[in-house]
Amino acid sequence: MDETPPLLGQGFHWQDLAEGQRFRTFRRTVTEADLIGFVGLTGMQEPLFVDATLAGALGARPVPAALTHALIEGIVLSGMAHGTGLALLETHIRARAPVRVGDTIGAEVVLTGLRPTSTGNRAVVTSEITIRNQRGETVMDYTVKRLLAGRP
């Protein structure tokens, strides 16, 4: 048994993907700790995010769209590109509806582009990602281009 066993949790190499492939993520509930940790880390100390008694134009306890994006990106990367992702090249984010503390979010990923580079055994992979809350409402969608490694 000299053969090295496969690594658990390894992301996809670009050769394992095809345009049109679809994936869905696990869902995750956004917590008060997520919100407070994120605004503390980023400095987004807006009353909208840190004053639990404030119900502004977005209603009570919204979270920054950047937090929604970051939470889903973490889930997508851990399932799709862990160990194979080389770079985030571009992203275009569209916030569609507020996400609030207590909401549960998940995403659908559709691969819309796959372009091998001329060198380096890697490819630019483009995805459309749609984030929905527990009621099935689209709260955010975004397009992302990543550089993924090829099989060794």
Side-chain angles (χ1 to χ4, degrees):
M1 285 236 167
D2 293 342
E3 196 173 311
T4 303
L7 185 62
L8 288 175
Q10 178 72 37
F12 293 103
H13 294 98
W14 71 264
Q15 295 96 331
D16 302 322
L17 299 171
E19 283 189 42
Q21 263 184 301
R22 297 164 64 115
F23 304 94
R24 62 187 173 88
T25 68
F26 286 100
R27 296 175 352 136
R28 184 190 193 291
T29 300
V30 181
T31 68
E32 179 77 14
D34 294 329
L35 172 60
I36 297 306
F38 188 81
V39 299
L41 180 67
T42 62
M44 292 183 183
Q45 300 289 328
E46 287 295 317
L48 181 66
F49 305 134
V50 298
D51 183 347
T53 66
L54 182 66
L58 297 178
R61 305 308 289 151
V63 302
L67 173 57
T68 300
H69 177 255
L71 290 172
I72 291 297
E73 270 295 282
I75 295 170
V76 169
L77 287 175
S78 67
M80 184 175 167
H82 187 81
T84 59
L86 301 173
L88 172 69
L89 302 175
E90 185 177 314
T91 189
H92 297 277
I93 302 169
R94 293 164 296 274
R96 303 290 190 187
V99 171
R100 304 177 194 296
V101 169
D103 279 352
T104 298
I105 56 174
E108 182 174 302
V109 179
V110 179
L111 300 182
T112 57
L114 183 64
R115 185 180 52 81
T117 61
S118 57
T119 60
N121 187 24
R122 52 193 177 198
V124 176
V125 177
T126 305
S127 302
E128 291 288 332
I129 299 178
T130 303
I131 304 172
R132 291 184 180 87
N133 64 17
Q134 68 276 11
R135 293 177 298 280
E137 301 162 338
T138 299
V139 296
M140 178 178 286
D141 53 47
Y142 62 100
T143 304
V144 60
K145 289 184 181 181
R146 305 179 201 285
L147 190 63
L148 288 187
R151 279 190 230 105

